[in-house]
Amino acid sequence: MSLPPEFALIARHFRGLAGEGALDLQDDAALLAPPPGLELVLAADAMVEGVHYLPDDPPETVGRKLLRVNLSDLAAMGAEPLAYLMTTALPRGTPPDWLAAFAAGLADDQRRFGLHVLGGDTVSIPGPACLSLTILGTVPPGQALRRAGARPGDDLWVSGTIGDGMLGLGVLQGRIPADPEGHLTRRYRLPEPRLALGKALRGVARAAMDVSDGLAQDLGHLCRAGGVGAVLDLAAIPLSPPAAALALEDPCWRARLAAGGDDYELLFAADPADAGRVEAAARAAGTPVARIGGFTDGHVEVTVLGPEGDAVSLPQGGWSHF
Amino acid sequence: MSLPPEFALIARHFRGLAGEGALDLQDDAALLAPPPGLELVLAADAMVEGVHYLPDDPPETVGRKLLRVNLSDLAAMGAEPLAYLMTTALPRGTPPDWLAAFAAGLADDQRRFGLHVLGGDTVSIPGPACLSLTILGTVPPGQALRRAGARPGDDLWVSGTIGDGMLGLGVLQGRIPADPEGHLTRRYRLPEPRLALGKALRGVARAAMDVSDGLAQDLGHLCRAGGVGAVLDLAAIPLSPPAAALALEDPCWRARLAAGGDDYELLFAADPADAGRVEAAARAAGTPVARIGGFTDGHVEVTVLGPEGDAVSLPQGGWSHF
């Protein structure tokens, strides 16, 4: 008795991704004995073809990006990866090669980040592919990083470099000059979840989140959660060499990069007295960090300082789907 | 400082669904202390507008159906509901009234079934709405119902009635005569997850699954998982009054109903010596069950017996997305 095509597809492409508790993707649900003594950390992010990735992005990177944007949520909470469930809504006629490469990318990243598939669903859609992933991680009780907690006087830190993902999208859409090293397009397609840094910041950062919708807009979330204001110093935002080259040509780029998106860096608050501990955590994690401003009392609002130290307004408020 | 529109939408429509551990949907992830001494049961199902529900289905029932098809997976494992995460990919311009009604339906069913939202994501899609839900439940260790386990000689049982969902879709599409009581369309839009029955069948059923893609096709999954064959007696399949009226007019309807889909009933195997225990479990759960065949040794295949007791073939193999 042969499998119906939908189940043959799952068996062929996705069963190899299944791990402990997934029951080979052959039951109605997965079974997971929760790791004793830990809290579970759970997040779900969706990606839509043409919105979160480009139709001609390599399928290997589409699967990996889907996993990594969710891993970035775990990083923001200081959690470690455990497992995931995934639903894929795919146009009929999606080539088997596309699916094989999509699954191969996931397999690579599963090994890299130490997690596996628990379950999911594969359906057809008369429209763009729509991918959804629910991730599970663990954290010792009470040690999760939270968005609330920044206090007036705290330093504002960010990891890595800002704006590369947005520039990478611009390169792929032909709006931005070429990217000879491929750094920018790689950053758009393959964000780097800062899991080691998130873990190292447990007990050090007072508040944290990941930057996905634009640095300035996401900083607004940290402010609302903490009931504080913030000052963001555009000149202090860390840039990669190609982004720095653009900003050197035209200083307006700094504001655009702070309003972009697709960074998946960690944005966090720390007591200035803990600056040494933040730097030690960053060294231990192998992830650079930079101080880009601070938190203030008074209004819940973000003040952006331009290159002359004067308050400037950003070209747009950051990414919103609606 | 006002919220960007995407976050205002989440705050307005979805925050009221959030429960313990969801952190008011304001962090990057949820925190869940796993219930001590229990295994977690996890499943994820997606629904696409125009594929799993009709564009003009009432939004209250769309949200409830999304939750219920996932609850049905918990029922199939004998699990109890705990919480869920949801991603919604919605066309820009989705009316706020649609969203409010969608969320109100979810709120109703959360109360009915005893679970709440932990987290999720809301994005835009340039195509049909695509909804994905990951459900978490609990079961005492080792007591989950599984698809594997049916033995030759076991009875084959099913809950409720078969074919109503498929007929309800036909009514809504104008292919099936009217449905004066609205029973069929209600069954298409609002499946009834058999949670009480699933729980009552722990330690009684040898194998179980939920019927979502057509009874005969899903029975094939039970056979493959157990390495057994099955005989399905069309005349014994329980039908609702409107379905029975169709089958009386034209006996071919029985085969069509067994090949349909959207039933969300439980299909399970039990030792004939346990028939009394099965019936007691059904009474305790308030869910009717019927014996509709049995399992055989030899080939992994489903033999369908027609009204004359002769083997017949079904008009189609059941639902497949690809």
Side-chain angles (χ1 to χ4, degrees):
Chain A
M1 202 167 65
S2 66
L3 278 173
E6 175 183 342
F7 302 96
L9 182 160
I10 293 169
R12 178 169 170 197
H13 296 296
F14 295 143
R15 190 161 294 156
L17 303 174
E20 194 186 341
L23 312 178
D24 277 338
L25 306 182
Q26 288 181 308
D27 268 84
D28 287 286
L31 287 174
L32 181 74
L38 295 174
E39 279 186 312
L40 289 176
V41 181
L42 301 107
D45 276 319
M47 291 199 340
V48 174
E49 178 187 359
V51 178
H52 300 84
Y53 67 94
L54 299 172
D56 57 357
D57 276 340
E60 294 86 347
T61 68
V62 173
R64 293 169 74 187
K65 183 171 183 175
L66 178 66
L67 187 55
R68 287 169 177 227
V69 301
N70 279 279
L71 286 165
S72 183
D73 286 324
L74 292 187
M77 305 287 285
E80 294 181 87
L82 179 63
Y84 67 99
L85 297 94
M86 179 176 67
T87 65
T88 56
L90 301 168
R92 283 172 193 259
T94 297
D97 286 355
W98 192 96
L99 272 161
F102 174 81
L106 283 168
D108 262 6
D109 266 2
Q110 287 192 187
R111 280 189 294 272
R112 190 179 323 253
F113 296 108
L115 76 175
H116 63 264
V117 162
L118 273 182
D121 194 16
T122 302
V123 302
S124 59
I125 184 169
C130 178
L131 314 169
S132 178
L133 196 146
T134 296
I135 201 157
L136 284 81
T138 58
V139 72
Q143 291 193 34
L145 301 175
R146 300 284 308 274
R147 285 191 182 181
R151 297 185 205 164
D154 278 356
D155 287 333
L156 172 66
W157 296 83
V158 76
S159 65
T161 57
I162 290 296
D164 297 333
M166 167 209 177
L167 291 174
L169 175 60
V171 169
L172 291 168
Q173 293 178 328
R175 290 183 288 101
I176 305 276
D179 177 22
E181 313 271 319
H183 172 78
L184 300 174
T185 55
R186 199 162 47 244
R187 290 268 292 168
Y188 172 71
R189 288 171 169 163
L190 281 185
E192 190 59 54
R194 300 302 191 181
L195 289 156
L197 180 63
K199 189 178 167 188
L201 287 173
R202 290 180 196 158
V204 177
R206 276 198 177 134
M209 68 179 297
D210 77 326
V211 184
S212 56
D213 295 328
L215 176 60
Q217 173 174 306
D218 285 337
L219 178 52
H221 292 305
L222 272 193
C223 289
R224 265 184 296 270
V228 292
V231 173
L232 172 64
D233 180 2
L234 285 185
I237 293 176
L239 303 180
S240 67
L246 282 174
L248 199 62
E249 263 174 44
D250 175 358
C252 290
W253 268 110
R254 284 197 166 266
R256 286 181 208 136
L257 299 173
D262 264 317
D263 292 304
Y264 301 101
E265 295 292 353
L266 295 190
L267 186 68
F268 57 99
D271 188 331
D274 284 334
R277 293 177 70 205
V278 169
E279 280 159 355
R283 272 194 308 277
T287 307
V289 295
R291 223 176 323 187
I292 57 171
F295 291 90
T296 60
D297 51 15
H299 288 301
V300 171
E301 74 184 348
V302 175
T303 304
V304 180
L305 299 184
E308 318 289 324
D310 48 327
V312 297
S313 55
L314 294 189
Q316 58 172 49
W319 174 259
S320 175
H321 281 278
F322 297 97
Chain B
M1 202 167 64
S2 66
L3 278 173
E6 174 183 341
F7 302 96
L9 181 161
I10 293 169
R12 178 168 170 199
H13 297 296
F14 295 142
R15 190 162 295 157
L17 304 174
E20 194 187 339
L23 311 177
D24 276 338
L25 306 183
Q26 287 182 310
D27 268 84
D28 287 287
L31 287 174
L32 180 75
L38 295 174
E39 278 186 311
L40 289 175
V41 181
L42 301 108
D45 275 318
M47 290 199 340
V48 174
E49 179 187 358
V51 178
H52 300 84
Y53 66 95
L54 299 172
D56 57 357
D57 275 339
E60 295 85 346
T61 67
V62 174
R64 293 169 75 188
K65 182 170 183 176
L66 177 65
L67 188 54
R68 287 168 176 228
V69 301
N70 278 280
L71 286 164
S72 182
D73 286 325
L74 292 188
M77 305 287 285
E80 293 181 87
L82 179 65
Y84 67 99
L85 297 95
M86 180 177 65
T87 65
T88 56
L90 301 168
R92 283 172 193 259
T94 297
D97 287 355
W98 192 95
L99 271 161
F102 174 80
L106 284 168
D108 263 7
D109 266 1
Q110 287 192 184
R111 280 190 293 273
R112 191 180 319 255
F113 297 108
L115 76 174
H116 62 265
V117 162
L118 274 182
D121 194 16
T122 302
V123 302
S124 59
I125 184 168
C130 178
L131 314 169
S132 177
L133 196 145
T134 297
I135 202 157
L136 284 81
T138 57
V139 73
Q143 291 192 34
L145 301 175
R146 300 285 307 276
R147 287 192 181 179
R151 296 186 206 163
D154 278 357
D155 286 334
L156 171 66
W157 296 82
V158 76
S159 65
T161 56
I162 291 296
D164 297 333
M166 167 207 175
L167 291 174
L169 175 60
V171 169
L172 291 167
Q173 293 178 329
R175 290 185 285 102
I176 305 274
D179 178 23
E181 313 271 320
H183 172 78
L184 301 174
T185 56
R186 198 161 49 245
R187 291 268 291 169
Y188 172 70
R189 288 170 169 164
L190 280 185
E192 191 59 55
R194 302 299 191 182
L195 288 156
L197 179 64
K199 190 178 166 187
L201 287 174
R202 291 181 194 158
V204 177
R206 277 198 176 133
M209 69 178 297
D210 77 326
V211 183
S212 57
D213 295 329
L215 175 61
Q217 173 174 308
D218 285 337
L219 178 53
H221 292 305
L222 273 194
C223 289
R224 265 184 296 270
V228 292
V231 173
L232 171 63
D233 179 3
L234 286 184
I237 294 176
L239 302 181
S240 68
L246 281 174
L248 200 61
E249 263 175 45
D250 174 359
C252 290
W253 268 110
R254 285 199 164 263
R256 286 181 208 135
L257 298 173
D262 265 316
D263 291 303
Y264 301 102
E265 296 292 352
L266 295 190
L267 186 68
F268 57 98
D271 187 330
D274 284 334
R277 295 176 70 205
V278 168
E279 280 159 357
R283 272 194 306 276
T287 307
V289 296
R291 222 176 325 187
I292 57 172
F295 291 90
T296 59
D297 52 14
H299 287 302
V300 172
E301 75 185 347
V302 175
T303 304
V304 180
L305 298 184
E308 317 290 322
D310 49 326
V312 298
S313 55
L314 294 188
Q316 59 173 49
W319 175 259
S320 175
H321 280 280
F322 296 97

